[in-house]
Amino acid sequence: MKQFWITFFGSIVGVIVGSVLTVILGIFLIGGLIGMAVEGARTETALPQTAMVLELDLRNGRLDSPSRSPFGFAEPLSVVDVVRTLEQAESDTRVAGIFIRANEFGMSPGVAEELRGAIAEFRNAGKFVVTHAQGFEGTSVTGYFAVSGSDEIWLQDTASFTPAGLASEVMFLGGLFERFGAVPQFEQFHEFKNAANTYTQSGFTEAHREATLSYMGSIYDTAVARIASDRDVSEDALRGIFEDAPHTAEEAQTFGLIDRLGHVIEAREATLARAGGQGSFINIERYAEQAAPAWNNGPIIALIEGQGAIVTGDAPVGAFGGEEQIGGDFMSENILAAADDPSVRAIVIRVDSPGGSAIASDQVWHAVNRAREAGKPVIVSMASMAASGGYYLAAPADYVLAHETTLTGSIGVLGGKIVLDGTFDRVGLNAETVSVGGEYATAFSASEEWSESQRAAYRSQMADIYDDFTQRVADGRDLPLERVLEIARGRVWTGAQALDLGLVDEIGGLRDAVDAARQFAGIDPDQAIRLRRFPTQQTPLEAFQQMFGVSADTAQTAARLNALMELPEVRAALEARAAADQPGIQMRSNASLPN
């Protein structure tokens, strides 16, 4: 009877709590819809017909491609869409220029390089670019690198100019695991495939340090060369300025790296004066929504985007704090859909990924090959990173472009587990494994270490995948296998280095990739084209309906998950778990983008 009443009242409490959570979620959704409606009402006002100055705020991070999350409407315009919007504005006679709020602390080198290229094209079209920074306070050169080609760079006179170079911090957990009795067991092909080092080592190995310093040095050299060209200073002088940081705003102006000193309001006033005094500022997000390009019946080039770790399946839509992912099913199905569409002349695949599942990477690789067999040229545009599995799926493409600062390569595989039996012992927890069948049935048990035969079998499995990976690169890039084996071994390269090695075909961004697709498809350079996303981008409401349906139970669960996922300890634990316990053999790079 006692248990009955406990169950009875527990059920009542559960219903009440669930109802409250449902109401809270409903309020959240209604508030979001109201906010969207207000924003929509605001943007319904027609754009001015003359002297618009676009506003672009780089102080917050941006995804490379639009989020698939139903909550993605809150995200700033993606890097891809910023590039496309600026390209459209180049021919818009109403747009006089752009006013940029600079990033103060640094960003991904690949993002900085893509934006710098878009700014250069915008200026070449006869539009002006004015940038204001409330300080370049971080030590990274990338925030300045993104805007160094502006017509005018303003700096608040009380701020500092501190770009000094690039830095990357790697956390090694080997000593921590040892202290708590955990045993990381990993196999990797080969010495430069250092993602496992985070768990097995307490510091840099010689190979890990060599590769990291090499790609960081390459990125730094690129940034110095491009900034020096933009600001008309010698590379040696610029290196000296960076290496002698920090500097005052006045010193930065003396060096020629800053044009004018003043507050943002003064920069805005000067920008409007430059537009003729009668202009108005228009947020780039608003412009992108309302200034849709004129329809044309030109040939179609498909744009398929993937960002984040590569996983099997569709990859759930990023929400509740989750990261964007590339689902093997989702991406390969869209590539095949574009290949089967008779109106599509070529396919551009945009990749921003450190890699992931070997199986899912191979699935996308196969789809790329099927598209080519169907007669559709496939062009890959690498963003900040297209490493390991991200490079695997790019290898068979007709043409591959990367930024000079893109991190790519990492041709190798790794996998393993962390044995926690010793850790359990220290807290009085006992986990025992029972099994039937062969010895390999317990290979992935977290409570017992590999036997010699299990390790050998696992390593043999990885060796087969490594052989497939390197052969696919050799075939796709038309390189001798012996050469691929020399430059593989899991090593990360920058796009500049990869070009010299034959791993990519050209240094360039998204617009260059579209131009390449046009050429491969035999489309006249002056003919208008249509760049069509596969799949078509969903509205927030469509994405929400796809994620949640209309079930009240699902809404209750979503509310609980949302609250749970916001806890910092839960987020940290999930990230560590996801990294250390990925099922299957991985084609993943943990090369950190320097900052």
Side-chain angles (χ1 to χ4, degrees):
M1 181 60 72
K2 179 180 179 181
Q3 184 61 43
F4 168 78
W5 290 112
I6 291 174
T7 302
F8 177 74
F9 286 113
S11 300
I12 293 175
V13 171
V15 170
I16 293 172
V17 171
S19 299
V20 171
L21 288 173
T22 302
V23 171
I24 292 173
L25 180 61
I27 293 172
F28 170 77
L29 292 175
I30 292 170
L33 291 173
I34 291 173
M36 292 168 62
V38 171
E39 178 68 12
R42 181 183 69 81
T43 57
E44 283 177 4
T45 304
L47 292 172
Q49 294 304 304
T50 57
M52 284 189 288
V53 177
L54 303 183
E55 289 188 280
L56 174 61
D57 194 337
L58 300 180
R59 291 175 295 177
N60 295 317
R62 295 173 183 267
L63 294 173
D64 186 69
S65 301
S67 172
R68 293 171 53 212
S69 167
F71 307 107
F73 62 84
E75 296 281 348
L77 207 62
S78 70
V79 174
V80 165
D81 283 334
V82 168
V83 172
R84 295 182 66 190
T85 301
L86 289 180
E87 181 179 14
Q88 179 185 342
E90 290 171 13
S91 58
D92 190 337
T93 56
R94 300 171 300 172
V95 176
I98 187 169
F99 180 73
I100 300 174
R101 301 294 298 275
N103 185 290
E104 301 159 28
F105 296 100
M107 60 179 70
S108 158
V111 171
E113 190 174 352
E114 183 81 68
L115 292 173
R116 176 186 173 274
I119 289 170
E121 295 287 355
F122 189 75
R123 287 186 66 201
N124 290 340
K127 316 288 185 176
F128 67 77
V129 179
V130 177
T131 294
H132 184 274
Q134 288 184 286
F136 289 101
E137 302 293 320
T139 60
S140 171
V141 300
T142 54
Y144 185 79
F145 176 34
V147 298
S148 60
S150 304
D151 292 285
E152 281 186 3
I153 301 179
W154 287 64
L155 181 63
Q156 190 167 313
D157 56 1
T158 54
S160 299
F161 186 88
T162 61
L166 296 170
S168 177
E169 188 171 277
V170 180
M171 182 176 291
F172 294 96
L173 303 176
L176 179 67
F177 286 152
E178 182 178 358
R179 182 172 182 178
F180 287 96
V183 180
Q185 293 190 305
F186 285 85
E187 292 291 328
Q188 56 202 77
F189 283 69
H190 284 280
E191 71 273 20
F192 292 105
K193 194 67 177 178
N194 48 53
N197 292 6
T198 298
Y199 310 105
T200 62
Q201 305 294 324
S202 57
F204 282 103
T205 63
E206 183 177 343
H208 192 176
R209 184 181 297 276
E210 175 190 336
T212 303
L213 288 175
S214 175
Y215 73 68
M216 287 179 63
S218 176
I219 293 172
Y220 182 60
D221 290 345
T222 293
V224 167
R226 303 298 164 256
I227 294 170
S229 174
D230 289 339
R231 303 307 297 176
D232 195 24
V233 299
S234 73
E235 292 186 31
D236 288 343
L238 185 61
R239 289 178 188 275
I241 293 168
F242 286 154
E243 293 166 14
D244 196 33
H247 301 285
T248 65
E250 290 78 11
E251 288 173 334
Q253 186 178 32
T254 301
F255 298 144
L257 301 183
I258 298 297
D259 299 296
R260 301 181 67 175
L261 303 180
H263 285 268
V264 63
I265 185 62
E266 296 171 303
R268 288 171 65 87
E269 290 169 348
T271 302
L272 284 183
R274 189 165 188 150
Q278 301 299 317
S280 55
F281 288 106
I282 302 296
N283 184 279
I284 195 169
E285 278 79 11
R286 178 185 171 193
Y287 180 81
E289 289 174 0
Q290 292 191 252
W295 186 88
N296 69 75
N297 63 349
I300 294 172
I301 293 177
L303 174 62
I304 298 171
E305 299 152 291
Q307 58 190 333
I310 303 171
V311 299
T312 55
D314 282 336
V317 175
F320 305 123
E323 299 291 332
E324 299 289 327
Q325 295 179 320
I326 299 174
D329 287 356
F330 185 81
M331 192 168 198
S332 60
E333 286 168 5
N334 282 295
I335 292 171
L336 295 175
D340 291 340
D341 189 327
S343 66
V344 170
R345 298 279 296 275
I347 300 171
V348 173
I349 300 177
R350 175 75 170 189
V351 183
D352 189 17
S353 173
S357 164
I359 294 172
S361 300
D362 189 66
Q363 181 182 10
V364 180
W365 171 90
H366 181 256
V368 171
N369 276 300
R370 288 287 295 268
R372 294 186 64 204
E373 290 169 1
K376 302 296 171 71
V378 178
I379 313 301
V380 168
S381 171
M382 294 181 173
S384 291
M385 181 178 286
S388 203
Y391 186 79
Y392 189 106
L393 64 87
D398 291 278
Y399 204 69
V400 180
L401 298 91
H403 298 300
E404 289 183 287
T405 58
T406 296
L407 295 186
T408 188
S410 192
I411 301 168
V413 295
L414 72 131
K417 64 179 181 177
I418 298 174
V419 181
L420 299 173
D421 193 46
T423 307
F424 295 160
D425 287 343
R426 298 188 183 200
V427 296
L429 179 63
N430 180 39
E432 295 185 5
T433 302
V434 293
S435 66
V436 296
E439 182 188 13
Y440 201 71
T442 61
F444 297 106
S445 168
S447 60
E448 60 182 59
E449 297 183 32
W450 281 325
S451 67
E452 289 186 9
S453 61
Q454 285 175 331
R455 181 185 285 274
Y458 188 65
R459 186 169 180 82
S460 175
Q461 187 181 9
M462 291 180 63
D464 287 342
I465 295 176
Y466 183 72
D467 290 344
D468 287 341
F469 193 172
T470 51
Q471 187 62 60
R472 294 200 188 315
V473 172
D475 294 340
R477 300 302 304 163
D478 194 22
L479 292 169
L481 179 60
E482 295 75 14
R483 177 57 177 157
V484 174
L485 293 174
E486 290 175 3
I487 60 181
R489 308 194 67 82
R491 181 157 182 166
V492 175
W493 307 98
T494 64
Q497 294 169 327
L499 180 66
D500 292 337
L501 296 170
L503 296 178
V504 304
D505 298 295
E506 182 182 334
I507 297 299
L510 176 68
R511 291 179 61 171
D512 300 300
V514 173
D515 287 342
R518 181 194 292 270
Q519 293 175 15
F520 272 83
I523 301 171
D524 189 277
D526 297 324
Q527 185 175 3
I529 62 165
R530 287 178 285 168
L531 194 61
R532 178 188 295 173
R533 278 191 162 109
F534 278 74
T536 303
Q537 193 171 352
Q538 292 179 313
T539 66
L541 182 58
E542 290 170 337
F544 186 86
Q545 289 175 333
Q546 179 181 343
M547 176 181 284
F548 298 118
V550 294
S551 165
D553 290 339
T554 304
Q556 292 178 30
T557 302
R560 294 175 181 135
L561 281 174
N562 191 40
L564 180 63
M565 292 299 186
E566 289 304 313
L567 296 174
E569 58 268 36
V570 173
R571 292 171 66 93
L574 287 175
E575 289 173 5
R577 179 70 174 177
D581 196 31
Q582 288 288 333
I585 293 171
Q586 295 288 299
M587 293 176 175
R588 181 185 297 271
S589 170
N590 74 333
S592 55
L593 294 167
N595 210 320

